[in-house]
Amino acid sequence: MTGPTITGTTTLLGIIGYPVEHSLSPPMQNAAIAHLGLNYVFLPFPVAPDRLADALRGFEAFGVRGFNATIPHKQAIIPLLQSVSDTARAIGAVNTIYRTDTGWCGTNTDIIGFLSPLKRQMGWTNGATVVLGNGGAARAVVAGCAQMECTQVQVVGRNPEKLQAFLASWEHSPLKANLTVHTWDELPTLLPQAKLVVNTTPVGMYPNVATSPLTLEQWAMTPMDCIAYDLIYTPSPTLFLQQAQARGAIAIDGQEMLVQQGAAALELWIDAPAPTDIMGQALRQALEQRLV
Ligand code: NAP
């Protein structure tokens, strides 16, 4: 493997998380940097929760151009930033931070990533979107649907209290969507109207590849032209998507979302278009290496 050429003027980019060693962003971002011939390097930074403010001060001192934040920093970093975009505020989480003249600005590129493959699909915003799960990724999905002015967004969860808290958290948000919350037993009434079903739960993720959040019987309730979208990126396709395809549905996996959220972040840092094909290739390679 050839690494980036480091010189006296190489600019730092990176990702903070705890742990961070499983992140796929370093191979993806460094492949893009190498392809563009840029004098940047993207590094993983394991930052313990109680060292977050120190890390930000260090990054400022080192002239770090920007970085991604992953678990457990996505919410905790918000009060430490000088500005936060409306999308990040609506989602309640920051995944991308960049330097401005007035300090660190945080935003969230997951909406861009989520919507990217849907831009190729027609008419999905005119019907109901059923979102399985009500965690962090579901927030980006709801905000993306709101941005696209979706007719109806129905979030399905297993814990009624968490569902109510989820609903309440959007009350004053500009990206609220036409949002309702439901428990899993309500699926038989929701699925027949669904134009898009999004899995935001980890059910079906490697290594639990033989599981799916929906049964074949539940898929049979969906309209024939339904789109199935699984945010999980390994395996690809998941059992959820295989079942949907057997039903005749259009299937979208989580790989493009992952690439496009990274590409949107890189574009903010370098102010130039990101090579998404190269990033996708690097992501697939990294995922394959992980499985051997
Ligand atoms: P999270 O915040 O932990 O949320 C997970 C949600 O799934 C919660 O609502 C949880 O319910 C629900 N859930 C978990 N296990 C379940 C089960 N057995 N049955 C029913 N519901 C279950 O996680 P996240 O950050 O949103 O991530 C969720 C998935 O999205 C992961 O697979 C992640 O890899 C994927 N993701 C992909 C991308 C991408 O770029 N492609 C980006 C972000 C996330 P409770 O709240 O009741 O526990």
Side-chain angles (χ1 to χ4, degrees):
M1 198 171 80
T2 54
T5 306
I6 309 290
T7 69
T9 56
T10 301
T11 304
L12 274 178
L13 300 170
I15 179 163
I16 58 168
Y18 202 73
V20 78
E21 59 261 36
H22 297 298
S23 172
L24 294 157
S25 295
M28 215 166 60
Q29 298 291 5
N30 285 313
I33 289 165
H35 178 80
L36 295 171
L38 298 174
N39 195 3
Y40 284 84
V41 65
F42 186 102
L43 295 175
F45 294 101
V47 175
D50 61 343
R51 305 305 301 273
L52 182 58
D54 293 341
L56 273 177
R57 277 192 292 274
F59 281 2
E60 193 178 341
F62 294 151
V64 169
R65 174 78 192 99
F67 56 99
N68 287 129
T70 187
I71 295 166
H73 302 309
K74 284 175 145 192
Q75 287 93 26
I77 200 167
I78 292 177
L80 302 174
L81 302 173
Q82 279 67 50
S83 56
V84 174
S85 71
D86 286 346
T87 40
R89 283 229 183 271
I91 297 173
V94 157
N95 78 339
T96 301
I97 298 95
Y98 58 99
R99 288 275 322 152
T100 67
D101 292 342
T102 51
W104 295 114
C105 178
T107 188
N108 194 310
T109 60
D110 279 341
I111 297 186
I112 298 175
F114 167 66
L115 290 176
S116 181
L118 287 171
K119 296 229 160 103
R120 292 193 291 274
Q121 308 299 331
M122 305 289 287
W124 66 273
T125 54
N126 300 330
T129 294
V130 174
V131 182
L132 305 174
N134 53 280
R139 300 194 68 82
V141 171
V142 168
C145 290
Q147 197 166 295
M148 295 303 290
E149 298 178 354
C150 266
T151 315
Q152 233 182 331
V153 183
Q154 298 161 330
V155 169
V156 180
R158 57 184 177 176
N159 180 324
E161 277 144 39
K162 281 191 187 173
L163 279 171
Q164 285 311 319
F166 186 91
L167 184 64
S169 71
W170 293 90
E171 207 161 304
H172 303 294
S173 167
L175 287 177
K176 184 181 175 184
N178 296 314
L179 178 66
T180 51
V181 292
H182 308 265
T183 45
W184 287 84
D185 57 323
E186 293 176 68
L187 277 175
T189 57
L190 305 178
L191 291 175
Q193 271 79 47
K195 282 241 172 153
L196 172 66
V197 182
V198 189
N199 177 32
T200 77
T201 78
V203 180
M205 188 162 71
Y206 180 85
N208 302 313
V209 298
T211 55
S212 167
L214 289 192
T215 61
L216 276 177
E217 292 71 30
Q218 287 171 323
W219 272 119
M221 295 174 193
T222 59
M224 296 299 277
D225 61 348
C226 184
I227 304 167
Y229 193 156
D230 200 335
L231 299 200
I232 291 173
Y233 42 81
T234 181
S236 175
T238 53
L239 180 59
F240 172 82
L241 292 184
Q242 291 174 40
Q243 291 168 333
Q245 278 171 318
R247 163 84 179 140
I250 295 162
I252 302 173
D253 70 20
Q255 291 194 0
E256 186 172 344
M257 175 172 173
L258 191 61
V259 169
Q260 294 290 348
Q261 62 76 30
L266 184 63
E267 289 178 1
L268 277 172
W269 299 325
I270 66 171
D271 200 21
T276 50
D277 289 354
I278 300 291
M279 295 172 82
Q281 221 173 299
L283 170 69
R284 284 186 292 279
Q285 238 170 43
L287 285 170
E288 275 163 28
Q289 278 165 10
R290 190 173 279 188
L291 296 181
V292 290

